[in-house]
């Protein structure tokens, strides 16, 4: 059996969940749901990143312990994910003692094998970014992020990252799927043309004490990124019923935003090389959600809160929009107008109308029982052929991590159903002498094609597609293959129209 292990970044516990976070998490969820339908043994991990200076500062400001601060804030993410119907198998928090144990074991091993060493260091420190900057990096006396820097001299512990530079370059060149899209791999290869330094992995407790104590020096805590990246591996040993480290490592897919590419595509793989562990198969860096021309971010105050959007249009419309609109790797713009446009055009008109017509006619003329399929003519054979072709393409698009491509494919089928209905006009045929059988057969084939649409879009819109399938007397899909038998529906199956599945929205009235 194939295995599929997908992760999201673990979110800074201080941040308020916004649409950018929701996108990565829904993307992981949709891919995980497809892989489950394909029959792959699937693990999907998300969680929160809870150590470091900013958390300590925020807790100090509120006069609570950092642990209490995290315990209060972490559930905000979990709650948004629950409402977005996110099907993660585990939710890791880096303050979990089991995670800390794994981090310590790996640190100790690296220390004992001289992959980590101590050194006195003096340099420019960016407090906001929690990192030292080299002299060369400074721009007008400020850090590359534009923050004030202070001169600091201290002993620290360093991971011998430079030792793995060539191996990393070779790995990227030999594995075109390791960093996608390709332009991000090129960016990293460009970065690796300069000599790679070693990575400072400690912080003296005198300066910052909120972190995992180094197992070989009690006066230091672990650098937050070294701790956070290990979540992808640590959770496997304690997050599930049995220890999955042996079965699910390496991860198949780390989903990240392009701002955290260096940590994932340079720090993380070299850490794994030093620990003699396999590298993840793919790191996919997606682009930004923009509001107008600007990146959405808390500091700019232009963030869209996922729950607000969900309250307006419903969870599945938001999930559909996020998946349909962004090509993983590129930037996308968010606007209410665009959500309404996609909803009214693609969901209410294309998909909803077809379903409505079919179920209403069956209710009205066939007492809510699916008519018999009868003989296949060319249009029916074509519809079936297209459905099979689309199902194959959906599989490929998902294996390539392109849910938007999968959605485009399924839309070809729902468009074809509408054209088929227009061509056959069962609403006219039914009124003609002897036309009942022909009309019934048309409705049967249209219903069967819509069933395929419901199965194929279920990972994107679980609730809506369950509703679609229910109207055709079908249960929720558990398996892509067996459900894609044509036809699976049988004459006599119960059909009901119910409320319109995809209401139209009017922007002005909001
Ligand atoms: N805690 C680190 C990740 C550690 S993973 C071992 C972190 N957290 S974060 O909360 O700041 O960001 C999480 C993710 O949200 C990142 O992948 C980031 O790229 C993404 N996004 C933040 N703003 C975004 C947009 N406007 N659009 C799309 N994604 C964005 O970094």
């Amino acid at each position: 059996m194939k295995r599929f292990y997908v992760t999201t970044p673990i979110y800074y516990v201080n941040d308020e969940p916004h649409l950018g976070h929701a996108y990565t998490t829904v993307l992981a969820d949709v891919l995980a749901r497809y892989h489950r339908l394909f029959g792959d043994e699937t693990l999907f991990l998300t969680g929160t990143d809870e150590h470091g200076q900013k958390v300590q500062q925020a807790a100090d400001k509120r006069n609570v312990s950092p642990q209490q601060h995290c315990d209060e804030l972490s559930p905000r993410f979990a709650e948004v994910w629950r409402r977005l119907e996110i099907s993660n198998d585990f939710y890791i928090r880096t303050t979990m003692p089991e995670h800390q144990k794994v981090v310590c074991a790996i640190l100790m091993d690296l220390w004992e094998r001289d992959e980590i060493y101590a050194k006195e260091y003096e340099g420019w420190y960016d407090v906001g970014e929690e990192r030292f900057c080299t002299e060369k990096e400074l721009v007008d006396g400020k850090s590359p992020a534009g923050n004030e820097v202070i001169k600091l001299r201290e002993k620290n512990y360093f991971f011998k990252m430079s030792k793995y530079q060539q191996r990393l370059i070779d790995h990227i060149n030999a594995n075109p799927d390791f960093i996608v899209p390709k332009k991000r791999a090129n960016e990293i290869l460009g970065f690796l043309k300069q000599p790679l330094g070693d990575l400072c992995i400690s912080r003296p407790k005198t300066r910052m004490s909120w972190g995992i104590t180094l197992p070989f020096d009690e006066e230091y805590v672990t650098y937050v990124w070294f701790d956070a990246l290990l979540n992808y591996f640590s959770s496997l040993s304690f997050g599930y019923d049995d220890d999955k480290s042996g079965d699910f490592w390496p991860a198949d897919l780390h989903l990240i935003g392009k701002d955290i590419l260096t940590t994932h595509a340079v720090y993380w793989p070299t850490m794994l090389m030093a620990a003699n562990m396999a590298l993840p198969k793919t790191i996919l860096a997606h682009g930004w959600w923009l509001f107008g021309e600007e990146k959405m971010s808390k500091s700019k105050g232009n963030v869209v809160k996922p729950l607000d959007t969900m309250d307006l249009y419903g969870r599945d419309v938001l999930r559909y929009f996020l998946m349909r609109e962004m090509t993983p790797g590129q930037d996308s713009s968010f606007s209410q107008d665009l959500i309404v446009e996609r909803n009214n055009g693609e969901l209410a008109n294309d998909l909803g109308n077809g379903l409505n017509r079919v179920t209403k006619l069956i209710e009205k003329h066939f007492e809510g029982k699916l008519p018999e399929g009868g003989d296949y003519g060319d249009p029916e054979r074509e519809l079936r052929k297209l459905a099979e072709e689309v199902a194959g393409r959906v599989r490929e698009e998902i294996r390539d991590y392109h849910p938007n491509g999968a959605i485009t494919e399924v839309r070809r089928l729902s468009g074809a159903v509408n054209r088929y209905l227009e061509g056959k006009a069962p609403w006219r045929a039914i009124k003609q002498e002897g036309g009942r059988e022909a009309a019934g057969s048309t409705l049967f084939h249209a219903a069967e094609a819509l069933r395929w649409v419901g199965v194929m879009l279920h990972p994107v819109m679980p609730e809506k597609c369950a509703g679609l399938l229910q109207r055709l007397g079908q249960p929720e899909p558990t398996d892509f293959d067996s459900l894609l038998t044509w036809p699976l529906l049988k004459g006599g199956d119960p059909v009901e129209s119910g409320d319109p599945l995809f209401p139209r929205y009017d922007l002005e009235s909001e």
Side-chain angles (χ1 to χ4, degrees):
M1 191 194 266
K2 276 208 177 121
R3 297 207 165 96
F4 181 66
Y5 176 29
V6 59
T7 66
T8 73
I10 46 173
Y11 303 104
Y12 286 130
V13 73
N14 266 350
D15 280 2
E16 195 166 339
H18 69 63
L19 199 84
H21 306 131
Y23 171 72
T24 325
T25 313
V26 171
L27 177 59
D29 183 61
V30 166
L31 294 172
R33 285 172 182 269
Y34 272 112
H35 278 270
R36 289 189 199 111
L37 277 188
F38 295 162
D40 299 343
E41 206 182 327
T42 300
L43 275 193
F44 164 20
L45 177 71
T46 189
T48 43
D49 187 352
E50 308 194 351
H51 290 126
Q53 186 124 327
K54 286 181 202 155
V55 174
Q56 185 171 16
Q57 282 166 348
D60 288 350
K61 228 171 158 181
R62 294 180 57 216
N63 253 329
V64 296
S65 72
Q67 184 66 57
Q68 189 184 340
H69 178 73
C70 295
D71 291 347
E72 283 171 25
L73 293 193
S74 179
R76 293 185 314 173
F77 278 95
E79 171 62 11
V80 175
W81 304 154
R82 193 186 60 74
R83 296 210 33 214
L84 273 168
E85 203 62 7
I86 300 301
S87 64
N88 54 303
D89 297 289
F90 186 53
Y91 184 86
I92 190 169
R93 299 181 48 194
T94 50
T95 48
M96 288 172 166
E98 297 93 334
H99 165 74
Q100 309 201 22
K101 227 170 88 189
V102 175
V103 173
C104 287
I106 290 178
L107 279 168
M108 200 60 195
D109 173 53
L110 295 181
W111 171 246
E112 282 171 351
R113 292 191 295 107
D114 289 331
E115 297 286 343
I116 290 173
Y117 61 92
K119 192 179 81 173
E120 279 277 336
Y121 182 82
E122 185 176 63
W124 296 106
Y125 187 75
D126 175 337
V127 180
E129 297 273 301
E130 293 176 42
R131 71 174 191 100
F132 278 98
C133 307
T134 61
E135 193 83 41
K136 264 195 279 171
E137 277 182 296
L138 298 186
V139 187
D140 298 332
K142 293 194 169 166
S143 74
N147 297 329
E148 297 293 338
V149 288
I150 52 172
K151 190 109 200 191
L152 265 186
R153 181 180 179 79
E154 61 188 27
K155 177 181 111 176
N156 264 308
Y157 290 89
F158 289 80
F159 157 54
K160 291 184 182 167
M161 188 159 74
S162 56
K163 187 172 148 188
Y164 297 97
Q165 176 161 8
Q166 192 54 46
R167 226 174 109 186
L168 179 58
I169 295 171
D170 295 344
H171 186 83
I172 297 172
N173 283 325
N175 295 278
D177 291 339
F178 181 51
I179 304 170
V180 293
K182 200 175 167 43
K183 68 173 170 190
R184 301 287 165 222
N186 290 338
E187 221 174 271
I188 292 295
L189 285 171
F191 175 79
L192 290 170
K193 288 206 170 106
Q194 305 292 326
L196 191 60
D198 288 342
L199 183 68
C200 179
I201 54 119
S202 63
R203 296 291 180 263
K205 283 189 181 170
T206 45
R207 177 146 68 78
M208 215 284 293
S209 62
W210 183 236
I212 301 177
T213 298
L214 285 185
F216 43 83
D217 190 337
E218 285 221 333
E219 287 170 20
Y220 288 80
V221 292
T222 311
Y223 170 46
V224 63
W225 271 102
F226 197 94
D227 150 10
L229 286 161
L230 279 165
N231 91 87
Y232 300 135
F233 176 69
S234 72
S235 60
L236 293 177
S237 62
F238 71 93
Y240 310 91
D241 291 345
D242 49 349
D243 185 337
K244 300 216 183 275
S245 331
D247 300 339
F248 279 89
W249 194 260
D252 293 274
L253 179 63
H254 290 321
L255 293 170
I256 58 165
K258 61 187 177 185
D259 56 329
I260 51 175
L261 182 63
T262 313
T263 48
H264 280 81
V266 179
Y267 298 5
W268 181 224
T270 51
M271 283 163 64
L272 289 167
M273 284 173 182
N276 294 318
M277 282 162 59
L279 305 195
K281 289 183 201 140
T282 299
I283 298 164
L284 189 158
H286 63 71
W288 299 137
W289 280 94
L290 309 171
F291 207 71
E293 296 293 300
E294 283 202 22
K295 180 191 172 213
M296 238 178 244
S297 74
K298 199 165 94 177
S299 53
K300 294 206 178 90
N302 64 350
V303 295
V304 173
K305 293 186 191 158
L307 289 183
D308 293 354
T309 311
M310 195 165 80
D311 288 342
L312 282 178
Y313 308 109
R315 158 178 52 211
D316 280 4
V317 173
L318 175 62
R319 289 173 58 107
Y320 176 84
F321 177 78
L322 292 174
M323 291 303 102
R324 182 258 183 251
E325 208 56 37
M326 187 177 263
T327 302
Q330 292 167 18
D331 292 346
S332 276
S333 283
F334 179 89
S335 75
Q336 305 285 349
D337 299 32
L338 207 53
I339 293 198
V340 169
E341 189 183 319
R342 301 300 185 217
N343 176 75
N344 292 357
E346 296 171 10
L347 297 178
N349 277 1
D350 296 352
L351 185 52
N353 267 355
L355 180 71
N356 230 13
R357 273 177 154 174
V358 169
T359 51
K360 283 236 150 70
L361 284 169
I362 295 175
E363 259 178 359
K364 186 161 169 207
H365 300 286
F366 297 89
E367 291 140 16
K369 294 206 171 55
L370 188 72
E372 294 294 334
D375 294 337
Y376 284 64
D378 283 346
E380 288 74 25
R381 272 193 287 273
E382 270 166 35
L383 200 57
R384 174 184 179 159
K385 204 170 130 242
L386 180 68
E388 283 163 356
E389 186 189 311
V390 163
R393 293 284 309 134
V394 164
R395 219 178 246 280
E396 283 167 30
E397 293 285 6
I398 294 302
R399 296 235 184 260
D400 289 342
Y401 308 137
H402 292 150
N404 59 324
I407 289 173
T408 306
E409 287 296 329
V410 182
R411 288 183 52 217
R412 276 172 60 204
L413 181 59
S414 54
V417 175
N418 285 332
R419 283 193 301 281
Y420 171 70
L421 285 169
E422 289 294 335
K424 290 270 179 174
W427 44 88
R428 219 173 300 131
I430 193 95
K431 291 182 190 141
Q432 287 160 3
E433 260 310 291
R436 185 178 163 81
E437 208 175 306
S441 166
T442 303
L443 292 170
F444 175 91
H445 289 99
E448 177 65 20
L450 287 169
R451 183 185 73 79
W452 282 52
V453 170
V455 174
M456 290 193 283
L457 284 185
H458 189 271
V460 180
M461 297 185 285
E463 194 183 348
K464 294 283 185 193
C465 289
L468 183 157
L469 292 166
Q470 192 192 6
R471 283 161 173 77
L472 302 175
Q474 291 295 304
E476 289 208 41
T478 51
D479 172 341
F480 208 68
D481 272 345
S482 69
L483 278 163
L484 293 174
T485 310
W486 182 296
L488 191 100
L489 297 179
K490 291 182 304 299
D493 282 352
V495 172
E496 54 169 346
S497 62
D499 295 332
L501 198 54
F502 295 103
R504 296 176 61 85
Y505 291 103
D506 194 354
L507 239 203
E508 275 79 36
S509 71
E510 245 101 57

